[in-house]
Amino acid sequence: GAGVSQSPSNKVTEKGKDVELRCDPISGHTALYWYRQRLGQGLEFLIYFQGNSAPDKSGLPSDRFSAERTGESVSTLTIQRTQQEDSAVYLCASREDMNTEAFFGQGTRLTVV
Amino acid sequence: GENVEQHPSTLSVQEGDSAVIKCTYSDSASNYFPWYKQELGKRPQLIIDIRSNVGEKKDQRIAVTLNKTAKHFSLHITETQPEDSAVYFCAASSNAGGTSYGKLTFGQGTILTVHP
């Protein structure tokens, strides 16, 4: 079946504009994660959704960042008033349960100019 | 919350040598420990994982060991090949309650270079 799908693959935006990134998890996966990866750096945790539980938002770097997930399906990560330091690859991952592999999407490369 | 430390940050070996990458974690409630390989420009992909009820797991040239008492786990790659060159990430999955249940926290990554 299909893997984790993210769109767009690449996004160039002007500083100050809002952007919305989309993640389609694998069907049936209850857990969904967003990470940020700056060039040559590690996977920085942003937010985590698990079923209908309240999300873990502890990694969101500022109130310009927000994310939503409808049930156990699509998630969107919104960055308002983008800054140059927001430039990075944003990776989404999903998991069936807490003892299984997380599958990553191909990422969205965001460039703020 | 969980904190995962990974060492070394870079590792250079000759083809055929072994490579070892080590991680420590802080949350004793963590119970699942995956390792991911990320090639340049690609998404991270799982190469091996271990659950807290076992101490070692092997898959061909790759093995992972887990010491729950010391809260550390290691990745061992034997007979390294140039195609093993990539960035490797360890992670820990929390089994604690609340919103962090199932949260996956990653180490900082190790750049492995295997010289022919």
Side-chain angles (χ1 to χ4, degrees):
Chain A
V4 179
S5 178
Q6 291 186 245
S7 60
S9 298
N10 284 283
K11 176 72 177 179
V12 180
T13 190
E14 291 182 351
K15 179 181 171 181
K17 295 284 178 72
D18 297 352
V19 295
E20 194 172 274
L21 313 180
R22 177 186 170 106
C23 173
D24 280 274
I26 294 172
S27 178
H29 281 197
T30 60
L32 186 148
Y33 308 80
W34 283 97
Y35 295 90
R36 178 169 69 180
Q37 188 172 34
R38 293 197 168 104
L39 188 63
Q41 302 297 308
L43 300 168
E44 178 188 0
F45 170 77
L46 296 177
I47 189 168
Y48 158 54
F49 297 90
Q50 169 52 35
N52 295 317
S53 302
D56 181 338
K57 303 180 181 181
S58 60
L60 295 178
S62 77
D63 59 8
R64 296 186 296 106
F65 288 72
S66 62
E68 292 184 347
R69 187 182 187 194
T70 307
E72 294 183 355
S73 61
V74 171
S75 175
T76 54
L77 176 69
T78 302
I79 308 173
Q80 296 179 308
R81 305 181 301 282
T82 51
Q83 304 294 313
Q84 287 187 328
E85 66 260 27
D86 299 335
S87 296
V89 174
Y90 289 82
L91 287 161
C92 173
S94 73
R95 246 174 130 185
E96 185 174 6
D97 62 51
M98 298 307 105
N99 289 296
T100 57
E101 174 182 0
F103 292 86
F104 282 85
Q106 81 280 17
T108 293
R109 182 176 299 278
L110 176 66
T111 304
V112 182
V113 297
Chain B
E2 175 70 278
N3 182 48
V4 179
E5 297 286 335
Q6 183 172 345
H7 299 281
S9 55
T10 60
L11 180 58
S12 184
V13 299
Q14 288 296 126
E15 182 176 2
D17 288 350
S18 294
V20 180
I21 302 170
K22 299 182 179 182
C23 288
T24 60
Y25 60 99
S26 61
D27 184 358
S28 57
S30 289
N31 64 342
Y32 172 71
F33 306 92
W35 286 88
Y36 283 80
K37 176 183 181 182
Q38 186 178 32
E39 295 175 341
L40 193 62
K42 303 242 178 113
R43 73 190 77 186
Q45 294 198 296
L46 183 82
I47 54 170
I48 195 167
D49 56 12
I50 190 166
R51 291 169 181 78
S52 58
N53 58 343
V54 298
E56 183 176 3
K57 183 177 177 181
K58 276 188 177 180
D59 183 2
Q60 298 182 359
R61 296 186 297 109
I62 295 172
V64 57
T65 58
L66 170 65
N67 183 326
K68 285 177 58 180
T69 304
K71 290 190 280 189
H72 67 71
F73 56 113
S74 300
L75 177 71
H76 305 252
I77 306 174
T78 58
E79 300 170 32
T80 53
Q81 302 166 3
E83 50 265 39
D84 294 330
S85 297
V87 181
Y88 291 81
F89 292 98
C90 64
S93 180
S94 175
N95 199 32
T99 57
S100 294
Y101 176 65
K103 179 178 176 180
L104 260 183
T105 303
F106 284 83
Q108 300 88 335
T110 296
I111 301 172
L112 174 64
T113 304
V114 181
H115 299 281

